[in-house]
Amino acid sequence: MRRPHIGVCLGLVIGVMAVGYARARDTGAQTSTIEGNGYLIRQAALVLTMDPNLGAGGILGQLEDADVLLVGDHIAAVGVHLSAPSGVHVIDGRGMIVMPGFVDTHDHLWQSLIRGCATDDDLNGWLSRCTSSLSTHPVSEADAYAGVRLSTAGLIETGVTTVVDWSAPFGTPFIRGNVRALTDAKLRFAFAMFGSASDGADIVAIKAEFIDPNPLATLQVATHPAPFFATHVAEATAIAKALGVKLHVHVLENLRQVAEDPLGILQAAGAFALGRDLYTAHSIHLSDANIATLAGLGASVSHQPLSNMRLASGIMRYPDIQAAGIRIGLGLDGGTNDTTDLFNNMRAAVGLQRAKALDAHASPTVAEVLRAATMGGAETLDMESQIGSLTPGKQADVIVIDTQALNFAPVLRPVAQLVFNGQPQNVK
Amino acid sequence: MRRPHIGVCLGLVIGVMAVGYARARDTGAQTSTIEGNGYLIRQAALVLTMDPNLGAGGILGQLEDADVLLVGDHIAAVGVHLSAPSGVHVIDGRGMIVMPGFVDTHDHLWQSLIRGCATDDDLNGWLSRCTSSLSTHPVSEADAYAGVRLSTAGLIETGVTTVVDWSAPFGTPFIRGNVRALTDAKLRFAFAMFGSASDGADIVAIKAEFIDPNPLATLQVATHPAPFFATHVAEATAIAKALGVKLHVHVLENLRQVAEDPLGILQAAGAFALGRDLYTAHSIHLSDANIATLAGLGASVSHQPLSNMRLASGIMRYPDIQAAGIRIGLGLDGGTNDTTDLFNNMRAAVGLQRAKALDAHASPTVAEVLRAATMGGAETLDMESQIGSLTPGKQADVIVIDTQALNFAPVLRPVAQLVFNGQPQNVK
């Protein structure tokens, strides 16, 4: 069994709080002294900045044989032949790809507790067999904590640095175990909390205790736009509006949900007024009119291709949704995905569209899927000014991928190989 | 980077030639002394024998907390509480899944040399950009050797113990480098040789030098049923008939090939007379009539879902082909697959059909895909009496999968988790 490199990874991912840092925005810019902790990744074979202003390759912003300087919790400089300020730790980047950490825009981290459940069933059967009984026999705080910590260890293995965790309606102890584990994992996260009046789970209280004091944390409000949840949708919409946060919902994941008109339920609850703060996961069985509606609102879509395959949910209209100008991020989706393999998720996003359309140019392309997994995900969260690219000044959410591995050799076309050869074991 | 456990894996996979061994065919059977080398895998959490007569779970033949005794190069016994003959090496199987090694029924091992090539193109573009120039600027013997050895190391990592390697029309030095590397990898293999009169590559001579002396090796004859290859198809068919070996062809991988009528070309060349020895890879755009034809011949089909996604080839009619009684194996397909991840290939085989049909019961099921990856593959090769299940008397082609890993925990439904959680790093 491979030892998880959690220590190393967290060191790079989170950095430490800066006492002070020097910024250098351009290629080749230099810093001479720093205060606080610093890391210089030197001579990386490839830096995918995901900032078109910092390198070649269009949206990928590629630099070869380049350096990345991290000071405190920020990216201080990206360029070729940066000089090392005194006191920084120099990391040998030869043979490595350096890029922004992946943004997992829709997950259910507690569901590692039910891995492999009902793998012969679709969404409805899976919900019935794997989660329904948990509402009456709630997952304990300790179990929620353990499951979420297990999942976050897997996320770190596969290079995720920001995760959106859609919780569950299992009551306050569960919610507390869930958010405590997220906090302790030291990942950047958005906690999509499913609150309920009946069990006393208090979104405002959780926000005050766990989210507001944590610079890595943001809050979302979770609900489910189905007829039997209409009251909850209205309450959740009101809370999201009051707090100025996103409302995160599952929309049209299974074909049978078309008859429930989830967008109609959201509209009736006033959720369309949330505009950019409406966050719709799955969004598979959207009509042309549904796509136009979401585009008009400025809503975001989170796409879970591996889960959609496992649960026989279908193939999202990725090219049409992208063409409508809707922001798209990728998500792993918890127990219905199982593998916690971001590379596999990217491959599936690309391959599903190609297999359906018989067209190798169907979106997402290789570049588009890499962007969706990083900068695109940041945009869905309206966090693109903080994360998603290696733009100096942004947070030091950086991953290092070692291409000196059997599955990568020979490294001739590293960008394409990242998507088609990459495995979690390559993330240092 | 993870160290590849090649030594350990080969030790288990190949065993050594037996001087003599005791057979014990039934659960609980015991052997008291052995001559030659032996291994007892004791108390494996789960043994998937793939032999319905040896355990529960129908086609999976499952045993829990069970032992597997390997003597020489054969499986001597499978059962609960086997006693250890003197002199055997005892391996602690707790937390492990023991199962037959995977059979990769269609690969192009030299193509690790062109990993990541033309990832934005379909089959026709990929052939044109990545392989056409190699016919006039041939891959050298040394490069063929290196590429194939690299690929076989990846196969061993992901638990493949038998591979069918469809070579390439690059001339004798290439062929020799290819088959030498296969030989040195000590995997069980079928070499599907693409011979050519013009370059002197002599199938009969290669067979005599490399295949006949090697008990792990078998020969197939490779050709391509396209109009510009009609003469070659006829010659290759005659050679396959004369040698009594399989004719291995790509059929209807891309939609444009429907107009070429590859089955008509094979029929005109006399290849239908090969019956069970006709081996058709991909077989995506088969009509109902095509499926009936292949079923009537007793031909085999090899399925490459990851490649079919990457190259926008389409979704094979797996349920219809299986329902017609056609033998189906899975294949990784070389440079157009990239990942060398058998677990991912199984997931893709399952998920593609589900995403297309919106039906979680679409074939292959979890059990069916595990069988296709092992016993089903053996059947396509007419090697089911030697490999594909852990039936005592068969070859000791055994893999051990360590479920004590982040991506497997908690191990509640190991069979399902093998398909949906498994990663190459879990193969010991």
Side-chain angles (χ1 to χ4, degrees):
Chain A
M1 180 182 157
R2 171 177 163 241
R3 284 178 301 127
H5 300 289
I6 295 174
V8 173
C9 192
L10 282 181
L12 289 175
V13 167
I14 308 300
V16 293
M17 297 304 294
V19 177
Y21 62 92
R23 285 193 190 185
R25 287 202 161 268
D26 297 322
T27 298
Q30 302 187 353
T31 57
S32 55
T33 62
I34 61 163
E35 296 175 55
N37 287 293
Y39 296 90
L40 178 66
I41 306 171
R42 174 165 273 167
Q43 243 185 303
L46 177 68
V47 178
L48 290 184
T49 68
M50 309 308 297
D51 182 339
N53 298 317
L54 288 180
I59 56 178
L60 297 176
Q62 292 175 231
L63 294 166
E64 295 181 8
D65 284 318
D67 306 342
V68 177
L69 179 64
L70 311 176
V71 177
D73 62 356
H74 283 71
I75 297 161
V78 177
V80 177
H81 300 310
L82 300 181
S83 56
S86 60
V88 302
H89 306 276
V90 176
I91 297 169
D92 185 355
R94 286 175 295 178
M96 307 287 171
I97 298 174
V98 180
M99 63 179 291
F102 294 119
V103 180
D104 174 9
T105 59
H106 181 79
D107 214 325
H108 304 280
L109 298 180
W110 70 273
Q111 292 177 1
S112 57
L113 297 175
I114 54 168
R115 275 186 178 145
C117 185
T119 53
D120 59 346
D121 225 327
D122 68 5
L123 173 67
N124 301 305
W126 181 86
L127 286 169
S128 163
R129 289 162 60 187
C130 306
T131 73
S132 294
S133 68
L134 299 176
S135 299
T136 46
H137 298 81
V139 179
S140 71
E141 179 166 354
D143 284 349
Y145 185 90
V148 172
R149 280 312 290 271
L150 178 60
S151 290
T152 55
L155 293 179
I156 290 167
E157 275 216 317
T158 197
V160 170
T161 54
T162 298
V163 61
V164 182
D165 185 19
W166 199 99
S167 191
F170 298 156
T172 301
F174 171 88
I175 290 282
R176 292 183 63 85
N178 187 336
V179 72
R180 275 204 301 114
L182 273 170
T183 306
D184 291 352
K186 297 196 165 45
L187 284 166
R188 192 178 306 282
F189 69 87
F191 185 55
M193 176 171 165
F194 199 109
S196 160
S198 64
D199 61 17
D202 184 342
I203 291 179
V204 173
I206 291 288
K207 179 174 182 289
E209 182 175 354
F210 292 99
I211 307 299
D212 293 340
N214 183 352
L216 299 176
T218 53
L219 182 77
Q220 298 186 342
V221 174
T223 186
H224 186 60
F228 56 95
F229 264 120
T231 306
H232 191 272
V233 174
E235 291 171 357
T237 298
I239 296 170
K241 279 183 192 165
L243 298 176
V245 302
K246 295 192 186 301
L247 186 75
H248 190 145
V249 291
H250 297 72
V251 167
L252 293 168
E253 178 174 0
N254 184 282
L255 187 62
R256 281 169 54 184
Q257 294 166 338
V258 171
E260 299 179 348
D261 187 19
L263 290 186
I265 293 170
L266 287 167
Q267 185 173 25
F272 281 11
L274 288 163
R276 291 178 69 82
D277 280 339
L278 182 60
Y279 207 83
T280 68
H282 297 287
S283 308
I284 296 171
H285 302 286
L286 295 178
S287 66
D288 290 348
N290 295 155
I291 293 175
T293 297
L294 293 180
L297 294 173
S300 290
V301 164
S302 175
H303 177 41
Q304 287 73 236
L306 287 174
S307 166
N308 301 162
M309 295 170 79
R310 199 258 221 199
L311 290 179
S313 300
I315 304 176
M316 194 183 85
R317 298 172 60 185
Y318 197 112
D320 298 329
I321 292 171
Q322 180 175 275
I326 295 172
R327 292 167 289 163
I328 305 178
L330 298 185
L332 283 168
D333 202 28
T336 61
N337 156 33
D338 309 303
T339 56
T340 316
D341 179 344
L342 221 300
F343 301 94
N344 195 11
N345 213 33
M346 289 195 291
R347 274 193 288 280
V350 171
L352 262 188
Q353 300 300 328
R354 292 185 181 187
K356 174 187 176 190
L358 306 184
D359 176 6
H361 299 284
S363 285
T365 63
V366 165
E368 285 169 349
V369 84
L370 282 164
R371 190 175 191 285
T374 53
M375 190 62 183
E379 287 172 348
T380 66
L381 297 168
D382 287 312
M383 292 176 72
E384 70 272 17
S385 66
Q386 302 163 61
I387 60 169
S389 70
L390 303 187
T391 309
K394 285 197 183 181
Q395 297 289 310
D397 292 15
V398 176
I399 60 172
V400 176
I401 292 162
D402 187 355
T403 64
Q404 296 170 306
L406 275 181
N407 61 306
F408 253 103
V411 186
L412 300 171
R413 303 159 189 94
V415 175
Q417 289 176 256
L418 198 56
V419 173
F420 286 100
N421 292 165
Q423 296 180 357
Q425 60 180 302
N426 303 124
V427 180
K428 294 295 284 186
Chain B
M1 178 181 158
R2 169 179 165 238
R3 283 176 302 126
H5 301 288
I6 295 175
V8 173
C9 191
L10 283 180
L12 290 175
V13 167
I14 309 298
V16 292
M17 297 302 296
V19 178
Y21 62 90
R23 284 194 189 185
R25 285 198 164 270
D26 297 322
T27 298
Q30 301 187 354
T31 57
S32 55
T33 62
I34 61 163
E35 296 175 53
N37 287 294
Y39 296 90
L40 178 66
I41 306 170
R42 175 164 274 168
Q43 242 185 307
L46 177 69
V47 179
L48 289 184
T49 69
M50 309 309 298
D51 182 338
N53 299 317
L54 289 181
I59 56 178
L60 297 176
Q62 292 175 231
L63 294 167
E64 295 181 9
D65 283 318
D67 306 341
V68 177
L69 178 64
L70 311 176
V71 178
D73 61 357
H74 284 70
I75 297 161
V78 177
V80 178
H81 299 310
L82 300 182
S83 56
S86 61
V88 303
H89 305 276
V90 176
I91 297 168
D92 186 356
R94 286 175 295 179
M96 307 287 171
I97 298 174
V98 180
M99 63 179 291
F102 294 119
V103 181
D104 174 9
T105 59
H106 180 80
D107 215 323
H108 305 279
L109 298 180
W110 70 271
Q111 291 176 1
S112 57
L113 297 175
I114 54 169
R115 274 185 179 146
C117 185
T119 52
D120 58 346
D121 225 329
D122 68 5
L123 173 68
N124 301 303
W126 181 86
L127 286 169
S128 163
R129 288 162 60 187
C130 306
T131 73
S132 294
S133 68
L134 300 175
S135 299
T136 47
H137 298 81
V139 179
S140 72
E141 180 166 353
D143 284 349
Y145 185 91
V148 173
R149 279 313 288 271
L150 178 59
S151 290
T152 55
L155 293 180
I156 290 167
E157 275 216 316
T158 197
V160 169
T161 55
T162 298
V163 60
V164 182
D165 186 19
W166 200 98
S167 189
F170 298 156
T172 302
F174 171 87
I175 290 284
R176 291 183 64 85
N178 187 336
V179 73
R180 275 205 302 114
L182 272 170
T183 306
D184 291 353
K186 296 194 165 51
L187 285 166
R188 193 177 307 282
F189 69 87
F191 185 55
M193 176 171 165
F194 199 108
S196 160
S198 64
D199 62 17
D202 184 341
I203 291 179
V204 173
I206 291 288
K207 178 173 181 290
E209 183 175 353
F210 292 99
I211 308 299
D212 294 340
N214 182 352
L216 299 176
T218 53
L219 183 77
Q220 298 185 344
V221 174
T223 186
H224 186 61
F228 57 94
F229 264 120
T231 305
H232 191 273
V233 175
E235 291 171 357
T237 299
I239 296 170
K241 279 182 193 166
L243 298 176
V245 302
K246 294 191 185 302
L247 186 75
H248 191 145
V249 291
H250 297 71
V251 166
L252 295 167
E253 179 175 1
N254 185 282
L255 188 62
R256 281 168 55 184
Q257 293 165 339
V258 171
E260 298 180 348
D261 188 19
L263 290 185
I265 292 170
L266 287 167
Q267 185 173 25
F272 281 11
L274 288 164
R276 289 179 71 81
D277 280 339
L278 183 60
Y279 207 84
T280 68
H282 297 288
S283 307
I284 297 171
H285 301 287
L286 295 178
S287 66
D288 290 346
N290 295 154
I291 292 175
T293 297
L294 293 179
L297 293 173
S300 291
V301 163
S302 175
H303 177 41
Q304 287 72 236
L306 286 173
S307 166
N308 301 161
M309 293 170 80
R310 199 258 221 198
L311 290 179
S313 298
I315 303 175
M316 193 183 86
R317 298 174 58 186
Y318 197 113
D320 298 330
I321 292 171
Q322 180 176 276
I326 295 172
R327 293 168 289 164
I328 305 178
L330 298 185
L332 283 167
D333 202 29
T336 60
N337 156 32
D338 308 305
T339 56
T340 314
D341 179 343
L342 221 298
F343 301 94
N344 196 10
N345 212 33
M346 289 194 291
R347 274 192 288 278
V350 172
L352 263 187
Q353 300 299 329
R354 293 185 181 187
K356 175 188 176 189
L358 307 184
D359 176 7
H361 299 284
S363 284
T365 62
V366 165
E368 285 169 350
V369 84
L370 282 165
R371 190 175 191 283
T374 53
M375 191 62 182
E379 288 172 346
T380 67
L381 296 169
D382 287 312
M383 292 175 72
E384 69 272 18
S385 65
Q386 302 163 61
I387 60 170
S389 70
L390 302 187
T391 310
K394 285 196 183 183
Q395 297 289 310
D397 293 14
V398 177
I399 60 173
V400 177
I401 292 163
D402 187 355
T403 63
Q404 295 169 307
L406 274 181
N407 61 305
F408 254 103
V411 186
L412 299 172
R413 303 159 189 94
V415 175
Q417 289 176 257
L418 198 55
V419 173
F420 285 101
N421 291 166
Q423 296 181 358
Q425 60 179 303
N426 302 124
V427 180
K428 293 294 286 184

